[in-house]
Amino acid sequence: MHPENKHEKLILKPIHRPTTSDRILWFILGGIFLLGLSAWVRQYVIGLGVTGLNRPVYWGVYITNFVFFIGLAHSGTFISAILRIAGQGWRKPLTRAAEAITLFSLPFGVASILADMGRPERVFNIIFFGRYQSPILWDFTAVGLYFLSSIVFFYLSLLPDIALCRDRLTNAPDWQRRMYEILALGWQGHPEQFHRLEKVLDGMAIFMTMLVVTVHTVVSWMFGMTLQPGWHTALIGPFFLLGAILSGTAAVVIALAILRKVYKLEEVLHIGLFNSIRKLLITFTLGWIYMMIAEHLTIGYGNMKEEMVVLLDKFTGTYATIFWSMALLVFGLPVLILIFKAKNNIGWMVTASILINIGMWLERYIVIIPSEVSPRLLPVMGQGIYLPTATEWLITAAWFAGMFLLYTTFTRFFPIIPIWETAEHLPEIEPEGARVAQTAPTGD
Amino acid sequence: MDISSLVYAFFNTPGVGGAVILTIFTGACLIYVYLTRWILRGGRK
């Protein structure tokens, strides 16, 4: 038994044998990924000296990428879990596209940490010698559990659609049908299965919401628990979290617009969905600027010597160009575009979202680098200098290419719009049970 | 051993953190496997 969805054929259409353009895209992305991987191997052999990292700048572009990727990963949980709990039914066609961003960006967040470690094999020391007073251990636990839970949440909500692929895509190659058969775990589409699936997803949505707050707060505490100027503030947790949800939601807009155009999904991903996300983006952008002002104003009024060195470096010093570009890209331009131009206009929505994501990457950079260059113990540590090298840029490009590669490959083999969640009718339980006669999933 | 020593040991002994991580991950895996099986059993006698 499968749900009845009038858009089923349209949603399944992108799943076909890879075309030449698919192969060219995969080749390019795979090539960039391999290039970056070879740069990482070279870095491992020669040492971190091939990067711009030095004393006292231990975290550079790699940790910027880590925070950025973890931020992107919040998109799926926000759209799927938080909006699910809030009962926002309009989110249904977006959920899988958003969750896929979560799933495919998290591994590269972790890979960014490994790239930052000169000796990545030492990551196991956390297991053997970990102490719970260390924020790194909190981070390891939170990110690890978030990754595991995201996989399960994603997989469970994909399960009915894998079974549908198993039964409908009979012309697919043998290995592909076999893959569907194995991954479907014998799903039969019984009404009771749908009922239980909804119950579990509702419960997990609450847990995932708690995790999403925990993960980015703990990521921010890696900074906040040190006494470095610019980091040691109680605001850093919510500030990081809000920035993560902002960049994640903007990433969902970009992904949806591309999917809509390439796979001709205009009927399912209608303009109304983009208008709903537009309102969220305006709210988050305003929230972000509020946090930004609150943080810098408090530090400025404190006028503490070490803090002011970093603050002035951002406002008028070495990092002023990046700082003000970031403010313009995350807030100035997007808020104007979103309010005055983006309503009923996907092109402008995408423009604003791209600006937000470039700006959010710069924001992560500007949080990390100036504090490291001018640490609290400046007389002891000395003034730092940091300029990323080609190795760091190559590895950065590789991680982004890897994420796009996984995403595009996924959309060729699995429905990127949840068929069962957007169905008009789900299989119903026989009257004897009289428990569930739902025509739409619960929780919305 | 009093409670304060236990708390101190939890936060300061190398390896305890690793054990906590493994416990959390193993526990989560078991719960997720159980939930998946429970969903799939739906409707089967």
Side-chain angles (χ1 to χ4, degrees):
Chain A
M1 281 184 284
H2 292 296
E4 292 170 31
N5 188 327
K6 63 179 177 184
H7 296 301
E8 187 185 297
K9 278 189 180 168
L10 184 73
I11 298 170
L12 287 178
K13 209 175 167 191
I15 305 172
H16 52 67
R17 285 170 197 274
T19 59
T20 312
S21 52
D22 289 332
R23 289 201 177 91
I24 291 172
L25 181 69
W26 292 345
F27 180 77
I28 293 170
L29 292 174
I32 298 171
F33 182 70
L34 288 177
L35 204 65
L37 210 59
S38 60
W40 187 19
V41 172
R42 181 173 170 269
Q43 176 191 296
Y44 181 76
V45 174
I46 299 176
L48 281 173
V50 298
T51 67
L53 299 172
N54 56 70
R55 188 174 182 263
V57 186
Y58 307 110
W59 295 348
V61 164
Y62 295 144
I63 300 299
T64 305
N65 292 337
F66 163 67
V67 181
F68 184 75
F69 277 121
I70 299 288
L72 282 189
H74 283 36
S75 55
T77 318
F78 175 71
I79 299 282
S80 275
I82 299 179
L83 293 184
R84 186 185 187 92
I85 294 168
Q88 299 295 309
W90 58 267
R91 71 173 170 91
K92 287 177 192 169
L94 324 176
T95 50
R96 190 159 303 145
E99 287 166 21
I101 297 178
T102 300
L103 204 65
F104 301 133
S105 59
L106 268 175
F108 294 101
V110 175
S112 300
I113 290 272
L114 296 179
D116 188 69
M117 299 172 72
R119 299 273 302 275
E121 72 277 7
R122 286 187 178 173
V123 77
F124 295 109
N125 286 355
I126 291 180
I127 302 289
F128 299 129
F129 309 109
R131 290 192 300 168
Y132 239 87
Q133 66 182 196
S134 159
I136 291 178
L137 204 70
W138 312 340
D139 204 42
F140 193 87
T141 314
V143 174
L145 190 60
Y146 184 49
F147 188 42
L148 177 67
S149 304
S150 295
I151 293 172
V152 175
F153 193 68
F154 184 74
Y155 180 58
L156 287 180
S157 66
L158 188 63
L159 209 47
D161 288 349
I162 299 176
L164 191 129
C165 288
R166 174 197 64 196
D167 299 339
R168 297 276 199 270
L169 302 176
T170 45
N171 291 330
D174 285 348
W175 69 267
Q176 196 171 331
R177 279 187 289 129
R178 182 86 187 116
M179 175 181 76
Y180 293 139
E181 209 175 302
I182 293 169
L183 290 176
L185 299 177
W187 176 273
Q188 295 165 325
H190 191 278
E192 180 62 20
Q193 287 183 325
F194 277 106
H195 174 66
R196 291 184 178 187
L197 179 62
E198 281 291 351
K199 266 180 107 167
V200 170
L201 290 179
D202 280 346
M204 275 193 81
I206 298 169
F207 180 60
M208 294 292 286
T209 304
M210 290 192 293
L211 266 183
V212 99
V213 175
T214 311
V215 167
H216 225 75
T217 307
V218 168
V219 166
S220 77
W221 282 350
M222 294 251 288
F223 299 86
M225 295 304 167
T226 68
L227 296 178
Q228 291 285 55
W231 294 354
H232 191 57
T233 151
L235 264 186
I236 201 163
F239 190 23
F240 264 48
L241 182 66
L242 192 67
I245 292 178
L246 172 62
S247 67
T249 310
V252 172
V253 171
I254 301 168
L256 287 177
I258 295 172
L259 291 169
R260 184 178 193 265
K261 183 89 179 165
V262 175
Y263 295 150
K264 299 181 174 49
L265 294 168
E266 290 86 350
E267 221 174 296
V268 192
L269 298 175
H270 54 85
I271 189 81
L273 297 174
F274 288 85
N275 284 335
S276 300
I277 303 182
R278 169 182 158 266
K279 291 174 196 162
L280 289 175
L281 280 178
I282 293 173
T283 312
F284 295 149
T285 315
L286 292 170
W288 181 85
I289 197 71
Y290 162 72
M291 298 293 275
M292 193 76 181
I293 292 171
E295 174 134 311
H296 288 93
L297 199 66
T298 314
I299 293 172
Y301 259 69
N303 201 24
M304 290 166 73
K305 193 179 155 196
E306 297 89 349
E307 297 279 356
M308 290 310 286
V309 172
V310 175
L311 194 71
L312 291 176
D313 219 10
K314 290 181 189 175
F315 281 3
T316 55
T318 319
Y319 298 97
T321 314
I322 301 178
F323 181 84
W324 294 111
S325 304
M326 175 265 298
L328 201 65
L329 290 169
V330 180
F331 177 73
L333 293 174
V335 86
L336 288 175
I337 293 172
L338 289 169
I339 291 173
F340 296 111
K341 288 283 185 188
K343 191 173 182 186
N344 296 323
N345 190 319
I346 294 174
W348 279 114
M349 278 282 290
V350 174
T351 308
S353 301
I354 291 172
L355 293 179
I356 288 173
N357 266 306
I358 295 172
M360 281 311 300
W361 191 91
L362 290 178
E363 196 245 21
R364 305 319 194 185
Y365 186 86
I366 209 79
V367 164
I368 295 168
I369 311 302
S371 296
E372 292 222 288
V373 166
S374 307
R376 185 170 295 275
L377 296 173
L378 199 57
V380 182
M381 304 290 280
Q383 181 72 39
I385 281 183
Y386 176 67
L387 267 180
T389 61
T391 302
E392 287 166 276
W393 291 125
L394 269 177
I395 293 175
T396 300
W399 287 181
F400 278 97
M403 186 184 78
F404 292 133
L405 181 63
L406 289 178
Y407 200 98
T408 50
T409 308
F410 174 81
T411 61
R412 274 289 178 235
F413 295 102
F414 298 94
I416 195 65
I417 310 286
I419 296 174
W420 73 276
E421 279 202 275
T422 54
E424 296 85 39
H425 296 288
L426 289 179
E428 291 179 13
I429 281 183
E430 297 300 320
E432 52 149 348
R435 183 164 52 165
V436 180
Q438 59 188 32
T439 54
T442 56
D444 295 315
Chain B
M1 187 181 275
D2 59 14
I3 190 80
S4 62
S5 307
L6 276 174
V7 172
Y8 181 85
F10 175 79
F11 283 105
N12 288 282
T13 311
V16 171
V20 173
I21 289 179
L22 289 177
T23 310
I24 289 173
F25 286 174
T26 312
C29 285
L30 289 174
I31 291 169
Y32 290 147
V33 168
Y34 170 78
L35 286 175
T36 309
R37 288 169 62 92
W38 180 71
I39 291 168
L40 291 168
R41 274 203 309 271
R44 287 181 199 163
K45 299 215 170 170

